Amino acid sequence: MSRNLLIIESPNKIETIKRYLKNEDFKIIATIGHIRDLSSRGMGFDEKTLEPRWIIPSKKPPKGQKNKQEIIAEIKEEAKKAEKIYLASDPDREGEAIAWHVYEILPKAQQEKCYRITFNEITKDAVLEALEHPRKIDMLWVQSQFARRILDRLVGFSLSSLVRKKLRAKSAGRVQTVALKFLYDREKEIKKFKSTKWWTLDVTLKGDVKLVLRNVNPNIKGLNYKKINDDVHGTGIDFKDAESAEIVKKNIKNEFKIYAIDDPKMYTSNPRDPYKTSTMQQDAINKLGWQVSKATSVAQHLYEGIKINGEHTALISYPRTDSIRISENFVKKLKPYIIKRFGEKYYFERTFINKGNSQNTQDAHEAIRVIDPTVTPESLRKLITRDEYKLYKMIWVRTLAAFMAPSKFENVIVRLESNKNKFYTFNRRMVFDGFRIIYNPFEDANTPHDIGLKKLKINESLKLDKAEVKEHESTPPPRYNQASLIKALDEAGVGRPSTYKSMANMALERGYARLENRAYVMQPIGDLVIKELSEFFPYIVDKDFTKEMEGHLDDIASKEENWKEWIKEFQPKFKKDLKQATSKMKTSEAEKVGRKCPKCGHDLIYRYAKKSGAKFIGCSNYPKCKYAEFPNSPQKILDEKCPQCGKPLIERYNRRGQKFIGCTGYPKCHYVRNIPKEPKPEEQQTEQTKQVKN
């Protein structure tokens, strides 16, 4: 019989942790996330006292998993037998709340045996260290999580009900709406943008030496010098019209004389900070071409443990963190590895201090890092999946580079003249690669630019290869993609490790925006939701509201603020504004298609799918009439009766986009018939070829 009970969140961690406790007497149970949640009746809490109403979720679990009632029953049964109960849910405020919920469902006799432990990485040392230093549940962290959940319920339930009734939209809430406001504001910037044009004279010498124009001959006849701008769009001369640039182009000669070579200047290029959640997600999106949900999922697998050579092994530290701090214990392991593999001059001692919006309670974590630097990506390449390898390599490189020496460059400016028109170029030579020995060149702007400086001398002349007048036009700010949105949210202080994924996905899931070439494009329903909420709840959609809220949650977690008092201060104004919005917000009429339903004769209208948010055509007589037409796949009523009930048959599409024939009497009549697949063009060609041969 097990003497101790260890409660964790994810069942994926069980095999990994078992390896480290094989000589100990432990029973391990996973809660599979929360075991209790706010009631779905009403707001889920008493609106006067703010006391939460907790329920055990009854949602059917995935196949092979226990439901929450069964998990709770198992925990209670094992708790009776255990001498000690260790609550080891994740090391953040949500994990603290999960530990508290487990504690609360136990009888008092078992509660007295409970200890809270946390570990930032799933390694033997970290797990055993945590067991040696148990503590009590931090109720301030739990209350901070209460405050977040209750405020989100208060705002989310109220606004979602409002936009469903008034705007025919799916939902609204504190997190999703502020992210949507970012997209909306960027779209307004794009629409307001007015482009400007300018021209440059681009000169290339023999040997592919590119020059920048710095000064124009002051005596060129016919040149309007007011048409010249200095240092407007870059480091050289811009022209306000193409004609002026062409005049200067004709004035230059075929030879360019070197009149000065500046003294060399040394530049260093430092590696970037270790990963935190937002920067890791950004790089996974930009470098690996993933979406944020995939980056989050793969990182979680690497943290919980992957089966390698028959054993579950955790590869990275906790992936939900605002911190860039690295523990001294890890640095002690990393230093000798870098020195042994690359040499002593490649190691560089650094201390990473959290800045700006990272000063919050989540800073109890470390940065996202590999657990063992000696476990190289190449050693795992054939042992883990391709996606796991890609993300692990990205984290491994970033971890090591953070403690490697800067790259060093020697930069020399070479100045040339042609008919009193002055140009310059530069020679940048890497003198020490430093951290770049493991980084790809595109990671740093200071890439080498070696034009063979040692061959160049003052008074030496170089030959012209080509001179071109190029037109340039300013472009509007780019639409956000998932990476740039997460970056903007992080910099504005409105995102947190646990919310970036939902903030980046919610607009897509609700149909308020769509991705086009990986960039968000606002949809009419999204515009409408933001416009109306901005009018009645300007503070909710304002990024400062969410930023200040995160500050309040941090204050609650550090005992500087009472969670109930803070929400009670917020409630009156919000309820007043909600009442006003309910009475004054115009009800959005359904957008009519201009056709009648072929099934029942009512008007067809545009609607939005509940799950995907995709726009489709449906009958205004829904739910009595379920006729629908989906984008690029309109339903077609056939001149054929159902053999079972006699109603017309219709062409439909299943969830995989496959066409089939069904009855318009569905769901009362379940008659369906498959449609034979049409041969692909290459199959048709093959068949024709056979016929020709025969």
Side-chain angles (χ1 to χ4, degrees):
M1 185 179 73
S2 302
R3 291 185 297 107
N4 300 306
L5 177 61
L6 182 68
I7 310 294
I8 60 175
E9 283 187 44
S10 172
N12 298 329
K13 301 177 187 175
I14 291 177
E15 290 301 317
T16 309
I17 294 174
K18 271 184 178 178
R19 284 181 53 212
Y20 307 135
L21 298 176
K22 51 185 158 186
N23 295 325
E24 304 292 335
D25 191 8
F26 275 89
K27 171 74 175 180
I28 305 175
I29 300 176
T31 63
I32 315 179
H34 288 272
I35 58 168
R36 297 197 304 186
D37 196 6
L38 291 173
S39 172
S40 56
R41 297 183 64 180
M43 288 289 180
F45 59 91
D46 188 298
E47 293 188 52
K48 290 184 179 180
T49 65
L50 298 182
E51 281 301 313
R53 298 193 185 107
W54 302 111
I55 61 164
I56 299 169
S58 57
K59 184 179 178 181
K60 188 176 180 180
K63 190 175 180 180
Q65 282 188 10
K66 297 178 180 179
N67 63 37
K68 298 299 180 182
Q69 292 280 11
E70 292 170 327
I71 291 171
I72 289 172
E74 184 183 13
I75 289 173
K76 286 183 175 180
E77 185 62 30
E78 293 296 332
K80 292 177 188 175
K81 311 171 192 173
E83 293 180 11
K84 292 182 180 180
I85 303 166
Y86 294 98
L87 308 175
S89 44
D90 287 347
D92 54 18
R93 291 198 289 245
E94 188 173 13
E96 204 73 16
I98 291 173
W100 177 82
H101 281 295
V102 174
Y103 176 86
E104 279 290 298
I105 57 115
L106 295 174
K108 190 172 182 180
Q110 273 75 60
Q111 287 180 345
E112 292 175 356
K113 298 186 284 184
C114 285
Y115 300 90
R116 172 74 168 128
I117 64 169
T118 60
F119 32 83
N120 189 57
E121 59 182 43
I122 306 176
T123 61
K124 184 174 183 178
D125 288 346
V127 172
L128 296 181
E129 175 78 10
L131 288 168
E132 289 178 8
H133 297 91
R135 59 172 172 82
K136 293 181 179 179
I137 293 172
D138 190 328
M139 284 308 299
L140 293 175
W141 275 37
V142 175
Q143 289 169 7
S144 179
Q145 185 65 14
F146 285 176
R148 179 189 292 278
R149 294 282 287 115
I150 287 175
L151 187 73
D152 283 350
R153 273 290 180 95
L154 177 63
V155 174
F157 272 33
S158 302
L159 295 187
S160 293
S161 176
L162 178 70
V163 299
R164 279 196 294 268
K165 291 176 183 176
K166 294 287 187 175
L167 308 179
R168 297 176 178 269
K170 286 195 70 175
S171 66
R174 178 188 64 82
V175 169
Q176 61 173 287
T177 303
V178 72
L180 187 64
K181 183 66 160 53
F182 272 69
L183 305 182
Y184 176 77
D185 288 345
R186 178 55 57 89
E187 206 67 37
K188 284 203 309 185
E189 289 179 50
I190 293 170
K191 288 176 181 177
K192 287 181 180 179
F193 178 81
K194 292 182 180 180
S195 66
T196 58
K197 291 185 178 181
W198 73 97
W199 289 260
T200 59
L201 176 58
D202 294 0
V203 173
T204 305
L205 305 182
K206 299 291 184 182
D208 198 32
V209 177
K210 292 177 172 52
L211 303 185
V212 179
L213 178 62
R214 283 300 290 128
N215 293 101
V216 173
N217 183 339
N219 302 313
I220 301 176
K221 291 181 180 180
L223 177 63
N224 184 352
Y225 286 87
K226 291 182 179 179
K227 295 286 187 179
I228 298 174
N229 291 326
D230 189 8
D231 286 331
V232 175
H233 296 97
T235 56
I237 296 290
D238 295 337
F239 297 89
K240 294 181 180 179
D241 57 25
E243 292 76 13
S244 299
E246 288 289 352
I247 291 171
V248 176
K249 175 184 172 182
K250 291 176 182 177
N251 188 256
I252 64 174
K253 305 297 183 183
N254 286 330
E255 288 195 353
F256 288 72
K257 184 179 180 181
I258 299 174
Y259 69 88
I261 299 177
D262 294 2
D263 292 335
K265 291 184 179 179
M266 297 300 296
Y267 291 92
T268 59
S269 172
N270 290 309
R272 298 179 184 180
D273 292 340
Y275 279 132
K276 55 183 181 177
T277 302
S278 61
T279 52
M280 184 272 291
Q281 290 173 342
Q282 289 167 50
D283 271 4
I285 294 165
N286 288 330
K287 295 177 184 176
L288 305 181
W290 294 357
Q291 290 204 12
V292 63
S293 54
K294 182 174 181 178
T296 304
S297 174
V298 177
Q300 189 69 17
H301 290 162
L302 295 176
Y303 164 67
E304 291 176 348
I306 296 170
K307 203 161 191 176
I308 300 174
N309 293 328
E311 291 189 334
H312 275 77
T313 304
L315 295 173
I316 67 168
S317 60
Y318 191 53
R320 290 200 320 202
T321 175
D322 273 342
S323 178
I324 59 170
R325 182 177 55 80
I326 299 286
S327 72
E328 291 182 10
N329 287 338
F330 178 74
V331 175
K332 288 177 182 176
K333 291 193 292 185
L334 182 62
K335 180 178 179 179
Y337 176 74
I338 291 176
I339 292 173
K340 182 179 179 181
R341 177 164 178 178
F342 301 103
E344 195 160 351
K345 65 180 179 179
Y346 281 92
Y347 180 76
F348 192 88
E349 192 77 49
R350 286 189 181 87
T351 301
F352 293 96
I353 300 172
N354 294 300
K355 319 161 238 192
N357 300 318
S358 293
Q359 297 295 342
N360 59 71
T361 320
Q362 304 284 47
D363 182 38
H365 308 151
E366 287 185 66
I368 302 172
R369 58 165 175 78
V370 296
I371 286 175
D372 184 352
T374 66
V375 179
T376 65
E378 291 310 310
S379 70
L380 297 174
R381 188 161 201 161
K382 295 181 179 179
L383 304 176
I384 59 180
T385 68
R386 187 179 178 187
D387 287 338
E388 289 163 351
Y389 164 77
K390 285 181 177 180
L391 188 62
Y392 181 76
K393 181 178 180 180
M394 203 175 79
I395 295 171
W396 184 86
V397 168
R398 185 85 163 218
T399 304
L400 266 66
F403 289 90
M404 295 181 74
S407 301
K408 294 180 182 179
F409 299 88
E410 179 189 75
N411 202 76
V412 176
I413 303 294
V414 181
R415 304 185 185 277
L416 303 96
E417 183 180 60
S418 178
N419 198 21
K420 296 185 179 179
N421 297 291
K422 295 185 177 181
F423 298 80
Y424 80 89
T425 187
F426 67 92
N427 190 92
R428 181 180 293 125
R429 183 173 63 90
M430 183 187 291
V431 294
F432 177 58
D433 53 5
F435 74 94
R436 290 167 63 87
I437 195 172
I438 60 169
Y439 252 46
N440 291 324
F442 65 79
E443 296 283 355
D444 196 307
N446 286 319
T447 51
H449 178 78
D450 198 335
I451 59 172
L453 174 66
K454 292 180 180 178
K455 301 175 184 177
L456 303 179
K457 298 177 182 179
I458 293 178
N459 293 324
E460 183 179 348
S461 292
L462 302 179
K463 297 291 184 181
L464 174 68
D465 182 15
K466 60 183 177 179
E468 301 174 289
V469 173
K470 288 190 178 178
E471 180 182 280
H472 305 270
E473 186 173 5
S474 58
T475 57
R479 287 189 172 99
Y480 286 113
N481 58 25
Q482 287 197 322
S484 59
L485 178 62
I486 290 170
K487 183 179 180 182
L489 294 169
D490 184 29
E491 289 176 347
V494 299
R496 284 295 183 267
S498 59
T499 62
Y500 293 126
K501 176 184 171 182
S502 61
M503 293 179 95
N505 282 335
M506 200 67 76
L508 303 174
E509 293 171 358
R510 299 298 184 257
Y512 298 158
R514 61 184 171 83
L515 285 181
E516 185 177 296
N517 296 324
R518 298 179 65 190
Y520 292 98
V521 178
M522 287 289 287
Q523 300 298 284
I525 186 66
D527 284 335
L528 179 63
V529 168
I530 280 295
K531 285 176 183 176
E532 293 297 325
L533 292 181
S534 295
E535 181 179 346
F536 292 98
F537 305 93
Y539 53 95
I540 297 291
V541 301
D542 188 351
K543 63 184 180 183
D544 287 339
F545 171 76
T546 299
K547 182 178 180 179
E548 289 169 7
M549 176 192 153
E550 295 293 350
H552 285 296
L553 294 175
D554 293 338
D555 289 343
I556 292 165
S558 59
K559 206 176 181 179
E560 294 178 24
E561 193 164 5
N562 180 280
W563 73 277
K564 288 186 177 181
E565 289 178 6
W566 171 56
I567 294 179
K568 285 177 180 178
E569 286 178 12
F570 171 78
Q571 274 181 308
K573 175 174 173 51
F574 179 71
K575 287 186 175 181
K576 180 183 176 182
D577 293 340
L578 184 64
K579 185 176 180 181
Q580 186 177 21
T582 303
S583 63
K584 293 187 177 181
M585 186 181 288
K586 292 181 181 179
T587 302
S588 175
E589 292 186 8
E591 184 183 357
K592 293 183 180 180
V593 177
R595 292 188 282 120
K596 299 293 184 180
C597 175
K599 185 177 173 183
C600 70
H602 282 77
D603 288 328
L604 290 177
I605 60 173
Y606 289 106
R607 300 177 59 208
Y608 294 89
K610 287 184 178 180
K611 289 187 177 180
S612 67
K615 191 175 183 179
F616 69 97
I617 293 171
C619 183
S620 57
N621 195 30
Y622 179 84
K624 289 183 179 179
C625 177
K626 293 183 172 63
Y627 177 82
E629 295 176 10
F630 297 92
N632 303 318
S633 57
Q635 293 184 341
K636 178 182 176 183
I637 294 182
L638 306 176
D639 292 328
E640 186 180 350
K641 302 294 183 182
C642 174
Q644 291 184 4
C645 70
K647 290 189 176 182
L649 293 178
I650 190 172
E651 286 185 356
R652 296 182 184 274
Y653 289 81
N654 63 22
R655 293 179 180 177
R656 295 184 293 276
Q658 298 166 328
K659 189 188 293 186
F660 69 96
I661 293 172
C663 181
T664 55
Y666 178 83
K668 289 184 178 179
C669 178
H670 290 267
Y671 175 80
V672 293
R673 186 173 80 223
N674 291 329
I675 297 176
K677 289 184 179 179
E678 295 181 4
K680 296 179 181 178
E682 59 267 26
E683 292 173 350
Q684 292 177 337
Q685 182 67 36
T686 302
E687 187 62 34
Q688 291 168 4
T689 304
K690 287 180 182 178
Q691 292 174 3
V692 170
K693 286 182 178 180
N694 293 334

